[in-house]
Amino acid sequence: MCVKGLCLLTVLSGLAASGVLQVSGIHIYTSGDVEAVNGTDVRLKCTFQSSTSINPNLVVISWSFRPLKPGREESVFHYQQKPYPPLEGIFRKRVAWAGDVMGRDASIILQQVKFTYNGTYICQVKNPPDVHGTVGEIRLRVVTTASFSELLLLALAIGGGIAAVVIILIIILSCRRCKKKTQRQLEGNEEAPRKERKDPTACHPARAIHLYLSQTSIEIDSSDGMISEASTKDPSSSESEGPSSDDEEDDDSD
């Protein structure tokens, strides 16, 4: 009897080593611990790896829930060619399909979570012939408010977004100012040659009377040899008066 059992074990080992008999398993990966605020939606992420090619007509995904308090497990979600949300229980109309079978994603979304959702969620995937393997578990904790780390991340995200918007606005305004300044300089350079240069010595004729030099003449009285006062006369006026003085001398001689 022992000899027959040993021979059978040897044959099975040889078949497995030669590749005729292969034992494969499916591996499931989950996010572990998840925290959600009461009344919000939360994604339960579950992915899987299989040594067999994915056939969407054969893949079976099931989610179940084990509460914190002792009690029976409750079905949460089922997928086989299409999603089947629960029709009764605490998860009725509260579960949505968020996975992709061809992308090896079996995630779901719990909508408007409540404190009764605290517990462990179990994700199971079968992809024949991969029907054996590990199962994924997620421990959900529903809280009243977000934790400090989540609030800090939210504040950093909001602050970073506001800072990015302010920086963009500053860059846009600076570019516009530089563009306007350059345009003004170009316009000034174009108008400079057009302006006529004024002679600094030139002025309006009415304001240039002091520039004209009056003709100064010195008259000498021939009779007594005395120098009379200097008079300023226009040459034209002196020429006109010349004949009249000659006429007077002719009259005296007569």
Side-chain angles (χ1 to χ4, degrees):
M1 187 71 180
C2 294
V3 175
K4 290 182 179 179
L6 183 60
C7 291
L8 180 61
L9 181 60
T10 304
V11 172
L12 292 176
S13 300
L15 291 175
S18 62
V20 176
L21 180 63
Q22 293 183 354
V23 179
S24 58
I26 192 165
H27 299 278
I28 299 177
Y29 308 94
T30 57
S31 53
D33 295 335
V34 176
E35 187 177 278
V37 179
N38 182 34
T40 62
D41 298 346
V42 60
R43 178 188 176 96
L44 302 182
K45 187 176 181 180
C46 176
T47 58
F48 61 92
Q49 291 290 339
S50 176
S51 59
T52 306
S53 60
I54 303 299
N55 187 345
N57 296 323
L58 299 177
V59 173
V60 177
I61 300 171
S62 60
W63 283 84
S64 59
F65 169 68
R66 186 170 62 244
L68 293 177
K69 297 179 179 180
R72 65 180 183 86
E73 290 187 2
E74 184 175 351
S75 177
V76 176
F77 188 83
H78 184 78
Y79 180 96
Q80 188 172 4
Q81 296 184 0
K82 66 177 183 178
Y84 292 93
L87 300 177
E88 58 183 4
I90 61 174
F91 297 103
R92 182 175 180 269
K93 295 183 179 181
R94 294 294 183 93
V95 184
W97 171 245
D100 180 12
V101 172
M102 299 305 297
R104 296 172 173 80
D105 188 357
S107 303
I108 60 173
I109 293 178
L110 296 181
Q111 300 172 340
Q112 300 177 359
V113 296
K114 301 181 292 185
F115 292 108
T116 54
Y117 290 180
N118 282 317
T120 302
Y121 293 80
I122 302 165
C123 174
Q124 293 180 330
V125 181
K126 295 180 180 180
N127 180 39
D130 286 354
V131 294
H132 301 286
T134 60
V135 295
E137 293 186 354
I138 297 176
R139 289 172 295 277
L140 176 64
R141 190 167 74 97
V142 181
V143 295
T144 304
T145 58
S147 61
F148 177 76
S149 58
E150 293 180 350
L151 293 176
L152 181 60
L153 291 175
L154 180 62
L156 290 175
I158 296 174
I162 295 174
V165 172
V166 171
I167 291 173
I168 292 173
L169 290 176
I170 292 174
I171 292 173
I172 293 173
L173 293 176
S174 300
C175 292
R176 288 183 178 179
R177 285 185 178 181
C178 292
K179 186 176 180 181
K180 288 182 179 180
K181 186 176 180 180
T182 304
Q183 187 176 0
R184 289 176 182 176
Q185 290 178 353
L186 292 175
E187 291 177 355
N189 294 334
E190 291 177 358
E191 292 179 358
R194 298 177 184 177
K195 294 182 179 180
E196 297 180 356
R197 293 183 178 180
K198 295 183 178 181
D199 187 359
T201 60
C203 57
H204 195 274
R207 300 178 182 177
I209 300 176
H210 65 282
L211 297 178
Y212 294 98
L213 296 177
S214 59
Q215 183 178 359
T216 304
S217 60
I218 301 175
E219 296 181 357
I220 300 175
D221 190 356
S222 57
S223 60
D224 54 3
M226 298 295 293
I227 298 175
S228 61
E229 294 180 357
S231 61
T232 59
K233 296 181 181 180
D234 188 67
S236 60
S237 61
S238 61
E239 289 179 358
S240 61
E241 291 177 357
S244 61
S245 62
D246 293 339
D247 293 342
E248 289 179 357
E249 288 177 358
D250 293 340
D251 292 341
D252 293 338
S253 59
D254 294 338

